[in-house]
Amino acid sequence: MDKRYKILVVDDEEDNLALLYRTLRSKYDVTKAHSAIEALEILNTQNFDCILSDHKMPIMDGVEFLKRSYEISPDTMRLLVTAYTDAGILIDAINYAKIYRYIKKPYSPDELLLTVKGALEYWQLKDDNN
């Protein structure tokens, strides 16, 4: 039986969070967080294979959240969902938050699923070789 990967999705906008959840729930165990602070609290008690975080959120943006999530769970795959293509933001996300990829809004459900699948295949390959 295939492993059912655990994914944490983080977005302060309920509609976006619901869309991420609906897109992923048939293939993965999905936990929702409505803020970066809530997501950090969840990460302190549960392990995830992958985190998808929105970029623009109040209090703590997605890059800062993913950077902090790396300190808690360095082996978890991290994906940033963003409407922005500012090179500086993306370079920071890759270098400091150690993201695997970014997903540009608007995205199609198929594109999202393909990116998540690729991240989890990469995670599995690393895990198998440890």
Side-chain angles (χ1 to χ4, degrees), residues 63-64 66-68 70-71 78 88-99:
V63 174
E64 179 62 26
L66 290 171
K67 184 178 169 187
R68 291 189 189 187
Y70 178 78
E71 295 164 4
R78 278 168 298 289
I89 290 168
L90 298 176
I91 289 167
D92 281 351
I94 293 164
N95 290 339
Y96 302 113
K98 310 277 194 250
I99 67 161

Side-chain angles (χ1 to χ4, degrees), residues 9-13 16 20 52-58 60-63 65-66 79-84 105:
V9 293
V10 188
D11 199 312
D12 62 305
E13 293 183 27
N16 293 339
L20 288 168
L52 272 84
S53 176
D54 185 41
H55 176 228
K56 280 291 187 193
M57 295 185 290
M60 183 187 308
D61 72 18
V63 174
F65 160 68
L66 290 171
L79 300 167
L80 182 69
V81 181
T82 182
Y84 303 94
K105 288 180 184 178

Side-chain angles (χ1 to χ4, degrees), residues 25 34 44 63 65 124:
R25 72 177 174 201
H34 296 86
N44 280 313
V63 174
F65 160 68
Q124 190 63 59

Side-chain angles (χ1 to χ4, degrees), residues 18-83:
L19 177 60
L20 288 168
Y21 181 79
R22 280 194 314 272
T23 303
L24 298 168
R25 72 177 174 201
S26 67
K27 295 185 183 325
Y28 307 107
D29 289 336
V30 183
T31 300
K32 297 187 282 184
H34 296 86
S35 70
I37 303 300
E38 180 185 358
L40 288 172
E41 290 170 0
I42 292 168
L43 278 174
N44 280 313
T45 62
Q46 297 180 51
N47 293 318
F48 293 90
D49 304 304
C50 184
I51 301 169
L52 272 84
S53 176
D54 185 41
H55 176 228
K56 280 291 187 193
M57 295 185 290
I59 302 170
M60 183 187 308
D61 72 18
V63 174
E64 179 62 26
F65 160 68
L66 290 171
K67 184 178 169 187
R68 291 189 189 187
S69 76
Y70 178 78
E71 295 164 4
I72 296 168
S73 183
D75 296 330
T76 300
M77 299 306 293
R78 278 168 298 289
L79 300 167
L80 182 69
V81 181
T82 182

Side-chain angles (χ1 to χ4, degrees), residues 2-7 21-30 109-110 113-114 116-117 120:
D2 286 340
K3 174 180 175 170
R4 194 144 163 103
Y5 294 99
K6 289 181 64 182
I7 298 179
Y21 181 79
R22 280 194 314 272
T23 303
L24 298 168
R25 72 177 174 201
S26 67
K27 295 185 183 325
Y28 307 107
D29 289 336
V30 183
D110 289 342
L113 285 167
L114 196 60
V116 169
K117 181 179 182 220
L120 291 168

